[in-house]
Amino acid sequence: MSETEKRDFIRQIIHDDLESGKHSEIVTRFPPEPNGYLHIGHVMSICLNFGVAAETGGRTFLRLDDTNPGKESKEYVDAIKRDVHWLGFDWQDRLTHASDYFGQLYESACRLIEMGGAYVDSLSADEIREHRGTLTEPGRNSPYRDRSVEENLDLFRRMRAGEFGDGEHVLRARIDMSSPNMNMRDPALYRIRHIPHQNAGDEWCIYPMYDFAHGLSDAYEHITHSLCTHSLCTLEFEDHRPLYDWFLDQLKPEYRPRQIEFSRLNLAYAVTSKRKLNTLVDEGIVSGWDDPRMPTIAGMRRRGYPVAALREFVTRAGVTKKDKLIEMGVLENCIRETLGEQAERRMAVLRPLKVVLTNYPENTVEMMEAMNHPGRPELGTREMPFSRELWIEQDDFMEDAPRKFFRLKPGGEVRLRFGYIIRCDEVVRNTAGDVVELRCSYDPDTRSGTASSDRKVKGTIHWVSCEHAIDARVRLYDRLFNEANPNAVDDIHGALNPESLEIVDGKLEPALAELSAGQAVQFERLGYFCADEKEDSAAARVINRIVTLRDSWAKLEKQAMQQQNQVV
């Protein structure tokens, strides 16, 4: 494949601009709103904006688009900076805020009024919506649209001075109320909000709208390529780029950026609507923005998703103009592939069933040598204590087993991983009839790694010594939604997966006492896990499942995705 064939359409545009001499340096920006935590959709934009600049020796600004003080907070600002850094990107000295430009934006709005391109409207919000029209009917001019330049300037300056209450007036662009593009029907530029700002304090009581501040902030920072996500489904008749260009055409800033849209990254079985994410947090459906079931970067970090897997995922998703819903399995396979190479192996039992080796010497402990990674001998080995009483998984025993069940059953034999072959001789039940213990015998001539261990059995299971096991609270996370596209569902409550979290009390091998927060390991035969970075401690292990070893949703997801992509 040639270098040109590897480029997505945005990288091709940038390549052509550099080749033609239009630009000698590429400058991009990632402009998140600090009104929530970043999510999987932002990963695409972060990697693209920082990536295309780094690939060409350019620069990227991290600009916090803080134009809506009622929904913003320092918590969100700090979370955004932490997440971008965690993904491996550095803005260096290029951290800016839209609020840094409030003075320039205000002066630009005054200029637009003087040019006849803006007016102060005194209609209520409901009246403005009524006058706006529909996709099939043109809007109607506001009765205040023809105010004089002098009156508009006076009212706008008095708005700035704090003489009016919230919603009493709004500054609007004077464009075209009959435009087929709804965004061009005299959009709002400034509104009155008597709310302290998380960065500007009490200096302002009027705040610019995103569409007005966005393009001008790009121009102030000499951005060459303003890369923006969009959704063809929701913006088919409401394209924002003409409005972006209209402001630049009217105000003619010294430097003119170019806006390029690419499709939003939509992940199946996850919501990326901030309104819906807020609902999940506010209603306590999840434990917070960093709940490991959330598609936020903070949640994915806490769950144990490796950065390399997330960056590989957005690479596979690709930069396109066409809306698409990416299978969750694509993301999970990126995680499995990354952790399969990196993660050391350990043994843990999540649903313990006791095994007593009746012919094993009491008060005896042997140390079994176990590989840390079957494909990476350089990672070495560790010792696992083996004793008379062991824990195995409940699922590894079946009393009325089918013919092809190759784990433990009455009279059956299995090999204990890195240990001996054992045979089940007796089943012990409690008064309720539940199996609580297996009495087994071991073959002392079958220890793994010895010359006499060649006797073969069809099944191998994992285990942990009862005496040496570490107790742990293990959280088994699954998808938060049963619907493939919960973003399209009006009421997300009905789409929730009631089995998205199961908590079990597991038994871990002693080596896992050294597991550090966020460090991923593979529990053999069970999946990939990590210590919870927020709640784990030496006194109480809290372990999160990152992902299973196999995609158990694959068949169901394939059917759902076919239906969803037909709709998209």
Side-chain angles (χ1 to χ4, degrees):
M1 183 180 293
S2 68
E3 185 63 31
T4 301
E5 290 173 321
K6 293 179 183 178
R7 297 189 192 112
D8 55 62
F9 78 98
I10 288 178
R11 285 179 167 83
Q12 187 61 49
I13 290 172
I14 289 173
H15 172 79
D16 293 345
D17 286 348
L18 289 171
E19 284 286 302
S20 67
K22 181 178 181 180
H23 296 293
S24 59
E25 181 186 39
I26 301 303
V27 184
T28 62
R29 84 289 170 273
F30 173 58
E33 300 172 70
N35 59 3
Y37 280 52
L38 301 182
H39 53 66
I40 185 67
H42 292 110
V43 177
M44 169 71 83
S45 184
I46 293 168
C47 291
L48 181 62
N49 277 285
F50 281 90
V52 296
E55 291 162 14
T56 58
R59 297 174 291 135
T60 300
F61 284 80
L62 173 61
R63 183 172 73 235
L64 297 164
D65 178 37
D66 51 356
T67 58
N68 190 0
K71 295 184 177 180
E72 299 164 357
S73 73
K74 186 175 184 301
E75 174 193 354
Y76 298 144
V77 170
D78 292 342
I80 287 168
K81 293 190 288 186
R82 183 168 57 247
D83 290 345
V84 174
H85 263 149
W86 180 71
L87 286 171
F89 300 104
D90 188 356
W91 54 86
Q92 297 176 339
D93 60 349
R94 294 180 293 276
L95 173 65
T96 58
H97 307 74
S99 56
D100 296 340
Y101 309 120
F102 278 178
Q104 291 170 267
L105 292 167
Y106 174 77
E107 293 301 323
S108 293
C110 289
R111 282 178 51 214
L112 201 57
I113 293 172
E114 292 169 349
M115 295 162 53
Y119 63 97
V120 174
D121 194 357
S122 302
L123 291 177
S124 69
D126 289 340
E127 289 171 329
I128 290 175
R129 278 191 292 270
E130 182 184 343
H131 278 69
R132 194 171 184 233
T134 68
L135 291 173
T136 57
E137 296 179 357
R140 293 179 289 129
N141 288 348
S142 166
Y144 304 99
R145 195 174 194 265
D146 295 325
R147 279 173 163 158
S148 68
V149 168
E150 292 74 19
E151 184 179 6
N152 283 318
L153 277 174
D154 176 65
L155 285 169
F156 188 51
R157 287 167 179 158
R158 290 165 64 192
M159 287 168 59
R160 166 74 178 92
E163 293 186 23
F164 306 112
D166 291 5
E168 198 169 342
H169 300 292
V170 62
L171 183 69
R172 298 178 67 181
R174 185 185 281 110
I175 305 179
D176 182 3
M177 289 301 293
S178 64
S179 172
N181 185 337
M182 299 285 281
N183 286 313
M184 303 297 283
R185 295 183 186 179
D186 290 12
L189 306 187
Y190 269 87
R191 74 285 203 203
I192 303 170
R193 300 295 303 276
H194 289 275
I195 299 176
H197 189 279
Q198 54 83 26
N199 186 53
D202 295 320
E203 183 179 352
W204 294 87
C205 63
I206 59 171
Y207 294 98
M209 303 298 287
Y210 170 83
D211 281 327
F212 182 65
H214 180 57
L216 292 175
S217 297
D218 285 345
Y220 301 152
E221 293 174 349
H222 291 191
I223 303 302
T224 59
H225 298 82
S226 177
L227 310 179
C228 302
T229 59
H230 73 122
S231 170
L232 296 179
C233 290
T234 58
L235 298 182
E236 184 174 358
F237 300 102
E238 297 192 4
D239 188 0
H240 284 249
R241 179 149 45 99
L243 183 57
Y244 181 99
D245 289 336
W246 188 87
F247 289 128
L248 298 178
D249 290 340
Q250 303 304 308
L251 294 166
K252 295 180 173 56
E254 178 184 356
Y255 203 92
R256 185 180 180 113
R258 175 182 179 180
Q259 188 177 65
I260 307 172
E261 298 91 356
F262 61 95
S263 63
R264 187 190 307 273
L265 192 158
N266 298 302
L267 179 65
Y269 299 97
V271 292
T272 51
S273 157
K274 282 199 178 168
R275 177 179 62 83
K276 292 179 178 178
L277 290 171
N278 260 307
T279 296
L280 294 171
V281 175
D282 292 344
E283 294 186 3
I285 295 170
V286 295
S287 62
W289 286 96
D290 64 350
D291 187 299
R293 292 168 292 177
M294 290 280 273
T296 57
I297 296 175
M300 293 185 290
R301 178 174 61 247
R302 184 176 169 192
R303 184 158 171 177
Y305 287 9
V307 170
L310 292 177
R311 294 179 67 161
E312 175 61 22
F313 169 66
V314 298
T315 297
R316 294 185 187 183
V319 180
T320 67
K321 297 181 180 180
K322 182 180 179 181
D323 258 15
K324 55 191 173 183
L325 194 61
I326 309 297
E327 295 180 16
M328 177 70 81
V330 177
L331 173 58
E332 291 180 342
N333 282 334
C334 290
I335 296 166
R336 291 185 186 100
E337 290 171 15
T338 301
L339 293 180
E341 288 292 321
Q342 297 176 354
E344 292 192 5
R345 277 44 170 172
R346 296 292 184 266
M347 289 211 275
V349 175
L350 302 187
R351 296 174 177 84
L353 174 62
K354 180 178 280 191
V355 167
V356 177
L357 302 179
T358 56
N359 64 331
Y360 192 86
E362 294 187 26
N363 302 318
T364 298
V365 177
E366 292 182 80
M367 302 306 292
M368 303 299 186
E369 186 177 30
M371 294 182 294
N372 286 328
H373 195 297
R376 298 182 62 187
E378 70 274 15
L379 293 179
T381 61
R382 67 192 186 282
E383 290 189 327
M384 286 185 59
F386 184 92
S387 61
R388 189 170 190 266
E389 295 185 354
L390 310 171
W391 296 116
I392 68 167
E393 291 287 346
Q394 293 176 13
D395 289 346
D396 281 337
F397 171 77
M398 186 176 291
E399 197 161 14
D400 298 315
R403 185 171 60 87
K404 291 189 176 182
F405 183 79
F406 298 127
R407 286 166 282 171
L408 205 55
K409 55 189 173 183
E413 292 184 319
V414 295
R415 175 173 287 282
L416 298 176
R417 177 88 159 135
F418 306 122
Y420 296 98
I421 292 175
I422 66 171
R423 182 183 70 243
C424 179
D425 302 318
E426 182 184 352
V427 178
V428 180
R429 302 176 184 277
N430 61 16
T431 55
D434 301 319
V435 176
V436 294
E437 183 179 299
L438 303 178
R439 294 187 176 275
C440 301
S441 54
Y442 87 111
D443 183 344
D445 294 327
T446 58
R447 175 169 170 161
S448 290
T450 63
S452 58
S453 66
D454 293 336
R455 185 158 75 85
K456 303 294 184 183
V457 290
K458 290 188 176 180
T460 300
I461 63 175
H462 62 278
W463 53 275
V464 175
S465 167
C466 292
E467 179 185 352
H468 305 88
I470 299 170
D471 293 329
R473 180 62 54 90
V474 183
R475 293 170 174 158
L476 305 176
Y477 292 106
D478 205 341
R479 300 175 192 194
L480 189 55
F481 293 96
N482 283 323
E483 292 283 343
N485 189 8
N487 281 310
V489 176
D490 291 332
D491 183 5
I492 59 174
H493 299 83
L496 289 166
N497 175 13
E499 299 178 353
S500 64
L501 171 60
E502 180 185 5
I503 301 176
V504 298
D505 293 320
K507 306 291 185 179
L508 315 182
E509 69 163 276
L512 287 165
E514 301 174 3
L515 188 67
S516 59
Q519 179 185 354
V521 293
Q522 183 192 112
F523 288 176
E524 295 207 24
R525 303 174 65 225
L526 298 176
Y528 294 96
F529 294 76
C530 73
D532 189 287
E533 66 175 25
K534 190 172 183 179
E535 298 184 26
D536 184 68
S537 69
R541 298 254 72 171
V542 178
I543 304 294
N544 296 330
R545 180 170 68 189
I546 305 170
V547 69
T548 57
L549 290 179
R550 295 180 181 82
D551 185 0
S552 59
W553 283 67
K555 185 175 181 180
L556 177 64
E557 185 169 76
K558 183 177 181 180
Q559 295 171 346
M561 292 296 299
Q562 288 173 343
Q563 297 173 353
Q564 287 295 329
N565 283 322
Q566 286 173 1
V567 173
V568 173

